[in-house]
Amino acid sequence: MQQNVDNLRHSAAHLLAAAVMQLWPGTLRAIGPAIEDGFYFDFEFETPISETDLPVIEKKMHELVSSWQSFERFELSKEEALEEYKDNPYKQELIEEFSKEGQSLTVYQSGDYRDLCRGGHIDHPSKELKHFKLLSIAGAYWRGSEKNNMLTRIYGTCFPTKDELQKYLIRIEEAKKRDHKILGPKLDLFTFSDKVGKGLPLWTPRGTLIRNLLDDFVWELRRTIGYAKVEIPHITKKDLYETSGHWEKFKEELFRITTREGHEFAMKPMNCPHHTQIFDRKPHSYREMPQRYATTTMVYRDEQSGELAGLSRVRCITQDDAHVFCRESQVEHEALAIWDIIEAFYRGTGFPQLSYRLSLHDPDHFEKYLGTREVWANAESQLRNMLTERGVAYVEAVGEAAFYGPKIDFISKDSLGRQWQVATIQIDRNMPERFNLSCINEQGEHERVVMIHAAIMGSIERFMSILIEHFAGAFPLWLAPVQVAVVPVGNNFDDLSQEVHLALRQEGMRSELDVSNKTLSAKIRDWTLQKVPYLCIIGGKEQEKRSTDGTLYVSIRTREGKDLGMVPLSEFMNKLRIAIEKKSI
Amino acid sequence: MQQNVDNLRHSAAHLLAAAVMQLWPGTLRAIGPAIEDGFYFDFEFETPISETDLPVIEKKMHELVSSWQSFERFELSKEEALEEYKDNPYKQELIEEFSKEGQSLTVYQSGDYRDLCRGGHIDHPSKELKHFKLLSIAGAYWRGSEKNNMLTRIYGTCFPTKDELQKYLIRIEEAKKRDHKILGPKLDLFTFSDKVGKGLPLWTPRGTLIRNLLDDFVWELRRTIGYAKVEIPHITKKDLYETSGHWEKFKEELFRITTREGHEFAMKPMNCPHHTQIFDRKPHSYREMPQRYATTTMVYRDEQSGELAGLSRVRCITQDDAHVFCRESQVEHEALAIWDIIEAFYRGTGFPQLSYRLSLHDPDHFEKYLGTREVWANAESQLRNMLTERGVAYVEAVGEAAFYGPKIDFISKDSLGRQWQVATIQIDRNMPERFNLSCINEQGEHERVVMIHAAIMGSIERFMSILIEHFAGAFPLWLAPVQVAVVPVGNNFDDLSQEVHLALRQEGMRSELDVSNKTLSAKIRDWTLQKVPYLCIIGGKEQEKRSTDGTLYVSIRTREGKDLGMVPLSEFMNKLRIAIEKKSI
């Protein structure tokens, strides 16, 4: 099924290029693959085009496709191919490369349009290729390398039916409205500064509050089962990563530092090696095992500027990281305890349904991994047993393991149906080997320990991006940075409103008082746009109640615009308290 | 008075060199100044000496001094001086330098000993120079630069009276016992790893707990007066520090990073510039002022290896940093609120008596500071007014200001009488100018804001070092990482002990249960060495109580070895709870 859709989309990419070449014949074509949810094609235009040109191209595509009966395959010799693309250095580069790899060179033709292509098309373009849409234009380096020319990439999508296309377009329209890159600053959750740099978010009071609430939630779940917080610096001598294997593996992505004395340091890209050094500070008796260390801390990766995107891809990643150092006999119990934390955490943050993936090593590329095949086989079957024991459905994904061990990945589904890999449990017998970590067992012997990697959110930045889009900024009460806005209907109710506001604060509610000079309707609109769960409106009726029986009353309006009528403040606060305690969504 | 003592100590340095030259005539002398609490002399020995040689040298000093009636001054020409020290490149370097500066060249002689020297001695060495002691040997680069030869530095001290010398020696003996570098790892508070590197402490569960308790205490004091937490990355583009002036000023001490794309970044050495960017994310109405941002975060400084010492001088410094952005009219109120926090914090951590210093700029080196003389004069008189208003005694220290503004420094005195500068309040009108920070005032105009820098602990690492030594590791109950150890007198009381332990944990007490195979006295010794405030001993009597009336009883022993007898557990827990809540010292 996916293959059919991929063929459809790849065919649409041909059609896009055909239209472009008719409209701007001097254009140079590069490549045009199918991708998740669509396709793209990269071009070198003689003069730049813009998004306003997309409808013109689309129209031309519809025109051309009527004459496309099929995709006809031709095999060319290297010389023929080089001749056919003599004016196109991109194609020439591909031809040289394919020839070197011993691949046959093929072009595919439909209508008047020919293109160098390995194949993978639909059979009847004029009939099948109807429901497409061009979406956007972006710059993209040839072959993804900043050393090469910047090309113009046109993105589009295509579906077998009109209905599917429509649904997809509505979904991306909705996703755009929820885009955390727009909503985040609008709700004043984070900001970026040109002086600080790309990929380095600055967290405002409201954003920091949510981050900390999430992190405290994780910590509460961990604390009760015996985790301890530890603290580590953000840099280390190169030596630590030479021992761990990260230096060899991730050299390119490390921020490297040469000190004034000429020593080589790196900013940490992960925390496990630091935690090993805390574990290894002294001998541990079997009685003290497991040792469970948690640190919420930033790690750093030297990502390329072009790959940075809002909070989804950043240079500083806050991890709610934890590592359990335990005996072989304790692995399953510890791993299942982490599993419980994960389920509880995602339930409390609005993702009650997780799905599961067992990420295995790729036996054909064993050189990418640390350790022996035997260690891997054991660790993988251990995880498989746990999945079976829990009785959950899961998929196995070859080649998705970490380089030091297999893992169970937990995948959430957001309100738009998009899937996100969130938490992960990794069993690691390689780091303990490399760092020579052991405990003293009942016989007084050194016994190799196992390390379990157990981040719950993984990256708080990325989780925040998912959360913002999942709720479209309308966070559940317990996470809302402002829970209640107290709004007087006019200045003469400012004092009473202040009284209500302070009563709410006294109860630990995050209340804001709005005594600005705006009109009531402007106030209501603004707080609603800020997605504040409840508005307490204070006016004559509430004033009267206060004067007659001394009770504080408030009229409640929700962010969805629902009028809940006038209730005693104490009753309202009680309702809030319960919803917060229960982490109601 | 201090001048007299300095002269005495400088004279002792001469005497030390005289003794060394008699014992090892081939030695080359460098310099020998008086320092705080003593003196030193740097030598190049032909063969290394060790601390076991110190008594021999001391003896020789006592021998020689009897013939030292005075210090006789001789003025030499450059040629004469070069001739006299022709075999000593260190002295030659000094002679060249003094000559270039136009200083006269003098040597001082007492007994048979002569040395190039600018003077500053006592009049009657044979009478006055009696109460000295050589303390230690260390390596030291000539003129402090690692590019030069490593010399041997002999440290000593000297006092006018025997009594003062004795007191000092006792104090350093006591300080040695309390040395946080030894006590810290012994109490399992922090560790260092060769793989991670010098000056980069790793915080264990117990150490992290104390750090967090301290930080939470600061936050609680801040939260109630309207501070908000914000979060920032540990790196930034160079641009931020070019604007702030830190790049120019602290270039050498910055950990600098060149990204894979060739951009220049630095690890942050302070947090103020990042906070300005959060403030500047949007316009602020005067109604929203002040904005108060707090972040507990690590800053990084490229210190030289030789200068690193335990937690006192590290490469990663955790700051409990905060900045208040306010209007001119709000400065004093905000600064005094910070003052209140400082007093409350240090009272709660065992430093009830602070002293005060007004740190001013140095008018003779105005080029070292940002801003105009007028701005400085105003800021300084504002701080002076605050000090007067609070009615406290204070000293003024010229040249001790930060480069961007004057400050009030708060100085604590520890249990050994040592003074430590701890907190500071800095008024800064220069960063707001450089970053163009303003709020919108009542007239709708941009109004320049003022920034107040307000770290309470400053460096948590350094504060921890002070705290450990102040309490010799016997932290007050609320800070003790383990508050209670439950110790059964024998295995048959393990179950009852477990019950007591869980009851304590249930109440939120940090209890540990000791069911190891050690003897009771070994257990008591170990927990006492760990400075755990209370031991609950569980044996026959407690068992009997449990069986007869179902009540949990415990026999309490303090870390000072005091036996508090058997009490109901509930009564004991009540007592603990009150002490913790009150932060009793």
Side-chain angles (χ1 to χ4, degrees):
Chain A
M1 180 58 202
Q2 187 57 42
Q3 191 53 51
N4 293 348
V5 176
D6 283 350
N7 287 349
L8 177 71
R9 289 172 179 166
H10 176 54
S11 304
H14 275 254
L15 184 58
L16 161 60
V20 164
M21 297 311 288
Q22 281 233 344
L23 292 165
W24 298 279
T27 305
L28 297 179
R29 292 164 291 165
I31 56 164
I35 54 173
E36 203 190 337
D37 291 338
F39 61 90
Y40 69 77
F41 210 111
D42 288 345
F43 301 100
E44 185 185 323
F45 282 95
E46 288 175 306
T47 50
I49 65 157
S50 74
E51 303 221 338
T52 56
D53 293 309
L54 296 184
V56 181
I57 305 173
E58 242 172 51
K59 199 174 153 219
K60 178 62 77 185
M61 287 167 73
H62 282 290
E63 255 173 64
L64 291 176
V65 77
S66 60
S67 67
W68 285 25
Q69 302 307 320
S70 66
F71 280 89
E72 206 174 338
R73 181 177 186 277
F74 299 93
E75 207 162 311
L76 304 188
S77 70
K78 183 179 167 188
E79 290 66 33
E80 288 168 329
L82 286 174
E83 172 60 22
E84 181 160 341
Y85 294 98
K86 63 174 183 293
D87 300 324
N88 187 321
Y90 307 110
K91 299 288 187 189
Q92 295 213 332
E93 190 177 323
L94 295 174
I95 290 163
E96 291 290 351
E97 206 172 282
F98 295 163
S99 308
K100 209 173 284 169
E101 291 167 5
Q103 296 184 42
S104 62
L105 294 166
T106 52
V107 298
Y108 281 81
Q109 175 152 3
S110 36
D112 296 335
Y113 182 77
R114 281 164 73 89
D115 203 349
L116 183 75
C117 172
R118 301 189 214 195
H121 303 102
I122 46 173
D123 295 333
H124 309 292
S126 63
K127 284 188 199 149
E128 299 171 56
L129 196 47
K130 286 181 166 171
H131 312 293
F132 52 81
K133 174 95 186 150
L134 299 183
L135 299 170
S136 62
I137 293 184
Y141 291 110
W142 166 238
R143 318 209 90 171
S145 163
E146 64 207 288
K147 287 176 198 139
N148 295 332
N149 273 357
M150 171 76 88
L151 303 173
T152 302
R153 175 170 294 176
I154 301 179
Y155 283 102
T157 192
C158 184
F159 283 87
T161 65
K162 189 173 172 181
D163 188 47
E164 283 167 286
L165 176 63
Q166 282 310 326
K167 273 194 186 138
Y168 176 73
L169 293 177
I170 289 167
R171 204 177 90 191
I172 56 174
E173 213 37 57
E174 183 57 28
K176 253 188 219 166
K177 273 190 252 164
R178 291 166 177 253
D179 185 349
H180 77 276
K181 294 189 286 299
I182 293 159
L183 261 187
K186 214 185 234 170
L187 299 176
D188 200 18
L189 301 177
F190 59 86
T191 187
F192 286 95
S193 152
D194 281 345
K195 289 196 162 73
V196 173
K198 279 191 180 175
L200 296 169
L202 300 163
W203 292 89
T204 61
R206 290 186 184 175
T208 306
L209 187 81
I210 300 179
R211 281 168 61 101
N212 289 345
L213 286 166
L214 293 169
D215 190 46
D216 290 348
F217 184 21
V218 170
W219 172 240
E220 207 37 46
L221 294 167
R222 282 179 174 156
R223 194 186 59 78
T224 50
I225 59 167
Y227 281 65
K229 287 189 184 180
V230 296
E231 199 57 76
I232 57 179
H234 299 80
I235 56 173
T236 174
K237 275 163 67 183
K238 180 184 174 181
D239 310 40
L240 188 70
Y241 296 133
E242 284 180 333
T243 304
S244 70
H246 289 103
W247 188 264
E248 174 76 14
K249 195 84 191 165
F250 292 115
K251 214 168 156 183
E252 283 304 300
E253 286 138 63
L254 292 178
F255 280 119
R256 277 171 283 172
I257 299 159
T258 306
T259 67
R260 62 157 108 176
E261 293 168 349
H263 301 130
E264 231 177 327
F265 279 75
M267 295 190 76
K268 69 180 159 71
M270 45 262 297
N271 310 306
C272 20
H274 277 88
H275 281 186
T276 67
Q277 296 308 288
I278 295 182
F279 176 79
D280 207 26
R281 74 191 182 280
K282 60 169 192 179
H284 295 276
S285 147
Y286 68 93
R287 282 201 188 83
E288 298 168 312
M289 300 296 289
Q291 292 280 310
R292 308 178 191 90
Y293 301 149
T295 314
T296 296
T297 176
M298 288 186 186
V299 297
Y300 286 82
R301 310 229 172 122
D302 191 358
E303 302 281 359
Q304 297 184 30
S305 304
E307 311 221 321
L308 299 171
L311 300 178
S312 316
R313 191 83 171 257
V314 287
R315 284 179 165 140
C316 68
I317 303 158
T318 314
Q319 291 187 336
D320 60 331
D321 214 356
H323 296 94
V324 176
F325 298 84
C326 64
R327 305 177 77 179
E328 286 289 348
S329 57
Q330 298 167 326
V331 170
E332 193 171 320
H333 178 264
E334 291 301 316
L336 289 176
I338 296 166
W339 190 322
D340 290 339
I341 292 178
I342 292 170
E343 298 279 353
F345 177 81
Y346 285 94
R347 204 162 44 238
T349 51
F351 301 96
Q353 290 290 336
L354 297 178
S355 55
Y356 310 91
R357 179 175 67 204
L358 175 57
S359 289
L360 307 167
H361 75 286
D362 177 357
D364 295 340
H365 291 95
F366 198 71
E367 72 285 355
K368 297 199 306 187
Y369 306 94
L370 298 181
T372 67
R373 286 186 194 265
E374 199 194 333
V375 163
W376 276 85
N378 287 341
E380 291 178 355
S381 80
Q382 193 167 30
L383 289 178
R384 201 176 279 112
N385 288 343
M386 282 169 46
L387 284 155
T388 313
E389 200 175 295
R390 286 263 154 143
V392 297
Y394 67 97
V395 295
E396 300 206 353
V398 168
E400 291 293 321
F403 77 104
Y404 44 76
K407 53 192 179 120
I408 298 178
D409 294 319
F410 296 79
I411 293 145
S412 70
K413 197 179 217 174
D414 75 7
S415 51
L416 296 183
R418 296 175 299 184
Q419 294 202 318
W420 304 102
Q421 190 214 306
V422 280
T424 168
I425 302 176
Q426 301 170 19
I427 312 288
D428 179 0
R429 288 177 177 81
N430 288 309
M431 288 291 146
E433 198 65 38
R434 291 192 153 232
F435 284 104
N436 190 21
L437 305 180
S438 60
C439 66
I440 311 293
N441 67 15
E442 293 86 340
Q443 286 74 46
E445 299 155 347
H446 283 271
E447 179 183 299
R448 177 70 68 238
V449 300
V450 183
M451 223 173 137
I452 311 178
H453 303 249
I456 306 302
M457 286 182 270
S459 154
I460 297 189
E461 284 74 17
R462 188 166 159 279
F463 183 66
M464 281 290 285
S465 78
I466 295 170
L467 205 66
I468 293 169
E469 300 191 0
H470 181 52
F471 289 114
F475 298 106
L477 190 66
W478 78 275
L479 281 174
V482 180
Q483 294 169 319
V484 182
V486 181
V487 181
V489 303
N491 285 350
N492 38 338
F493 304 107
D494 282 2
D495 287 351
L496 181 57
S497 299
Q498 169 80 3
E499 204 180 331
V500 168
H501 167 65
L502 290 180
L504 283 159
R505 286 260 171 126
Q506 191 66 32
E507 278 295 307
M509 306 295 168
R510 295 186 291 271
S511 164
E512 293 285 342
L513 173 65
D514 187 348
V515 290
S516 66
N517 293 327
K518 293 182 284 190
T519 64
L520 179 62
S521 61
K523 286 180 184 181
I524 292 175
R525 192 187 58 236
D526 287 357
W527 289 110
T528 304
L529 282 174
Q530 286 293 308
K531 314 279 174 97
V532 172
Y534 295 103
L535 268 61
C536 288
I537 317 281
I538 310 289
K541 276 197 303 175
E542 289 75 18
Q543 182 85 282
E544 210 184 300
K545 274 283 184 189
R546 181 80 179 113
S547 323
T548 53
D549 66 3
T551 323
L552 288 173
Y553 269 73
V554 289
S555 288
I556 308 295
R557 195 188 152 92
T558 71
R559 60 187 159 195
E560 294 81 17
K562 230 162 104 182
D563 184 349
L564 302 184
M566 192 170 75
V567 294
L569 178 63
S570 59
E571 189 186 313
F572 174 60
M573 291 201 298
N574 216 26
K575 183 181 146 182
L576 295 191
R577 203 178 306 110
I578 291 165
I580 292 167
E581 264 167 31
K582 286 167 76 177
K583 295 194 165 59
S584 306
I585 302 300
Chain B
M1 181 59 202
Q2 186 56 42
Q3 190 53 51
N4 293 347
V5 176
D6 283 350
N7 286 349
L8 177 71
R9 289 171 180 167
H10 176 55
S11 304
H14 274 255
L15 185 59
L16 161 60
V20 165
M21 296 310 289
Q22 282 234 346
L23 292 165
W24 298 278
T27 305
L28 297 179
R29 289 165 291 166
I31 55 164
I35 54 172
E36 205 191 336
D37 290 338
F39 62 88
Y40 69 77
F41 210 110
D42 287 346
F43 301 98
E44 186 185 322
F45 282 95
E46 288 175 307
T47 50
I49 65 157
S50 75
E51 304 220 338
T52 57
D53 293 309
L54 295 183
V56 181
I57 304 173
E58 242 172 51
K59 198 175 154 217
K60 179 62 77 183
M61 286 167 73
H62 282 291
E63 252 173 69
L64 290 176
V65 76
S66 60
S67 67
W68 285 26
Q69 302 306 322
S70 65
F71 280 89
E72 204 175 341
R73 180 177 187 276
F74 299 93
E75 207 163 313
L76 305 187
S77 69
K78 184 179 166 190
E79 291 65 35
E80 288 168 329
L82 287 173
E83 173 57 24
E84 182 160 342
Y85 294 99
K86 63 176 184 291
D87 300 325
N88 186 322
Y90 307 110
K91 297 289 187 189
Q92 294 214 331
E93 193 178 319
L94 294 174
I95 291 163
E96 292 290 350
E97 208 173 280
F98 295 162
S99 308
K100 209 175 283 168
E101 291 167 5
Q103 296 184 42
S104 62
L105 295 166
T106 52
V107 296
Y108 281 79
Q109 175 154 1
S110 34
D112 295 336
Y113 182 76
R114 279 163 77 90
D115 204 348
L116 183 74
C117 172
R118 299 190 214 194
H121 303 101
I122 46 173
D123 296 333
H124 309 291
S126 62
K127 284 185 200 154
E128 299 170 55
L129 196 47
K130 287 181 166 172
H131 312 294
F132 52 81
K133 173 95 187 152
L134 299 182
L135 299 170
S136 61
I137 293 185
Y141 292 110
W142 166 239
R143 318 210 89 172
S145 164
E146 63 206 288
K147 288 175 199 140
N148 295 333
N149 272 358
M150 173 75 89
L151 303 173
T152 302
R153 175 170 295 178
I154 301 179
Y155 284 101
T157 193
C158 184
F159 284 85
T161 65
K162 188 172 175 183
D163 187 48
E164 284 167 285
L165 176 63
Q166 283 309 326
K167 273 195 186 139
Y168 176 74
L169 293 177
I170 289 167
R171 204 176 90 192
I172 58 175
E173 214 36 58
E174 183 57 26
K176 252 187 219 167
K177 274 189 252 163
R178 291 166 177 251
D179 185 349
H180 77 275
K181 295 188 286 299
I182 295 160
L183 261 187
K186 214 183 234 172
L187 299 176
D188 200 17
L189 301 177
F190 60 87
T191 187
F192 287 94
S193 152
D194 280 345
K195 288 195 164 73
V196 173
K198 277 191 180 177
L200 296 169
L202 299 163
W203 291 90
T204 61
R206 289 187 184 175
T208 306
L209 188 80
I210 300 180
R211 281 169 60 102
N212 289 344
L213 287 166
L214 293 169
D215 190 46
D216 289 348
F217 183 22
V218 170
W219 171 239
E220 207 36 47
L221 294 167
R222 283 179 173 156
R223 193 186 60 77
T224 49
I225 58 166
Y227 280 64
K229 286 189 184 180
V230 297
E231 199 58 76
I232 57 179
H234 299 79
I235 56 173
T236 174
K237 276 162 67 181
K238 180 184 172 180
D239 310 40
L240 188 70
Y241 295 133
E242 284 179 332
T243 304
S244 71
H246 289 102
W247 188 264
E248 173 77 13
K249 194 84 193 163
F250 293 115
K251 215 166 156 183
E252 283 304 301
E253 287 138 62
L254 292 178
F255 281 118
R256 277 170 284 171
I257 299 159
T258 305
T259 68
R260 59 157 110 176
E261 294 168 349
H263 301 131
E264 230 177 326
F265 280 74
M267 296 190 76
K268 69 179 159 72
M270 45 261 298
N271 310 305
C272 20
H274 278 88
H275 280 185
T276 67
Q277 297 306 288
I278 295 182
F279 176 78
D280 207 28
R281 74 192 182 279
K282 61 169 191 178
H284 295 277
S285 148
Y286 66 94
R287 282 201 189 81
E288 298 168 312
M289 300 297 289
Q291 292 279 310
R292 306 179 193 89
Y293 302 149
T295 314
T296 296
T297 176
M298 287 185 187
V299 298
Y300 286 82
R301 310 230 172 121
D302 191 356
E303 302 280 0
Q304 298 184 30
S305 305
E307 311 223 319
L308 299 172
L311 301 178
S312 315
R313 192 84 173 255
V314 288
R315 284 178 166 140
C316 68
I317 303 157
T318 313
Q319 292 187 335
D320 60 332
D321 214 356
H323 296 95
V324 176
F325 298 84
C326 65
R327 304 176 77 181
E328 285 290 348
S329 58
Q330 297 167 328
V331 169
E332 193 170 323
H333 178 265
E334 291 300 317
L336 290 175
I338 296 165
W339 190 322
D340 290 339
I341 292 177
I342 292 171
E343 298 279 352
F345 177 80
Y346 285 95
R347 207 164 39 240
T349 51
F351 301 95
Q353 289 292 334
L354 298 178
S355 54
Y356 310 91
R357 179 175 66 203
L358 175 57
S359 289
L360 307 168
H361 75 284
D362 177 356
D364 296 339
H365 292 94
F366 199 70
E367 73 286 354
K368 296 199 304 187
Y369 305 93
L370 299 181
T372 66
R373 286 187 193 263
E374 199 195 334
V375 164
W376 277 85
N378 286 340
E380 290 178 357
S381 79
Q382 193 166 31
L383 289 178
R384 202 175 279 114
N385 289 343
M386 282 168 47
L387 284 155
T388 313
E389 200 174 296
R390 286 263 154 145
V392 297
Y394 67 96
V395 293
E396 301 207 353
V398 168
E400 290 294 321
F403 77 104
Y404 45 75
K407 53 191 178 121
I408 298 177
D409 294 319
F410 296 79
I411 293 144
S412 71
K413 197 177 217 174
D414 75 7
S415 53
L416 295 184
R418 295 174 300 183
Q419 295 202 318
W420 305 101
Q421 191 215 306
V422 280
T424 167
I425 302 176
Q426 301 170 20
I427 312 288
D428 179 0
R429 288 176 177 83
N430 288 307
M431 288 290 145
E433 198 64 39
R434 292 192 151 232
F435 283 104
N436 190 20
L437 304 180
S438 60
C439 66
I440 311 292
N441 68 14
E442 291 86 342
Q443 286 74 46
E445 300 154 346
H446 283 273
E447 179 183 299
R448 176 71 67 238
V449 300
V450 182
M451 225 173 137
I452 310 178
H453 303 249
I456 306 302
M457 285 182 270
S459 154
I460 297 188
E461 284 73 17
R462 189 166 159 279
F463 184 66
M464 282 289 286
S465 78
I466 295 171
L467 205 66
I468 293 169
E469 300 191 359
H470 181 51
F471 289 114
F475 299 105
L477 189 66
W478 77 275
L479 281 174
V482 180
Q483 295 169 319
V484 183
V486 182
V487 180
V489 303
N491 285 350
N492 37 339
F493 305 107
D494 282 2
D495 288 350
L496 181 58
S497 299
Q498 168 82 1
E499 205 180 329
V500 168
H501 166 65
L502 290 180
L504 283 159
R505 285 259 171 127
Q506 191 66 33
E507 279 295 307
M509 306 295 167
R510 296 187 290 272
S511 164
E512 294 284 344
L513 173 66
D514 187 349
V515 290
S516 66
N517 292 328
K518 292 182 287 191
T519 64
L520 179 62
S521 60
K523 286 181 186 183
I524 291 175
R525 192 188 56 236
D526 287 356
W527 289 110
T528 304
L529 281 174
Q530 287 292 306
K531 313 279 173 103
V532 172
Y534 296 103
L535 268 63
C536 288
I537 317 281
I538 310 289
K541 274 196 305 176
E542 289 74 18
Q543 183 86 282
E544 208 186 300
K545 274 284 182 188
R546 181 79 179 115
S547 323
T548 52
D549 64 3
T551 322
L552 289 172
Y553 270 73
V554 290
S555 288
I556 308 296
R557 196 189 150 91
T558 71
R559 60 187 159 195
E560 293 80 18
K562 231 162 105 181
D563 184 349
L564 302 184
M566 191 170 75
V567 293
L569 177 62
S570 58
E571 189 186 312
F572 174 58
M573 290 201 298
N574 217 26
K575 182 181 146 181
L576 295 191
R577 205 180 304 110
I578 291 166
I580 292 167
E581 264 167 31
K582 287 168 75 177
K583 297 193 165 60
S584 307
I585 302 300

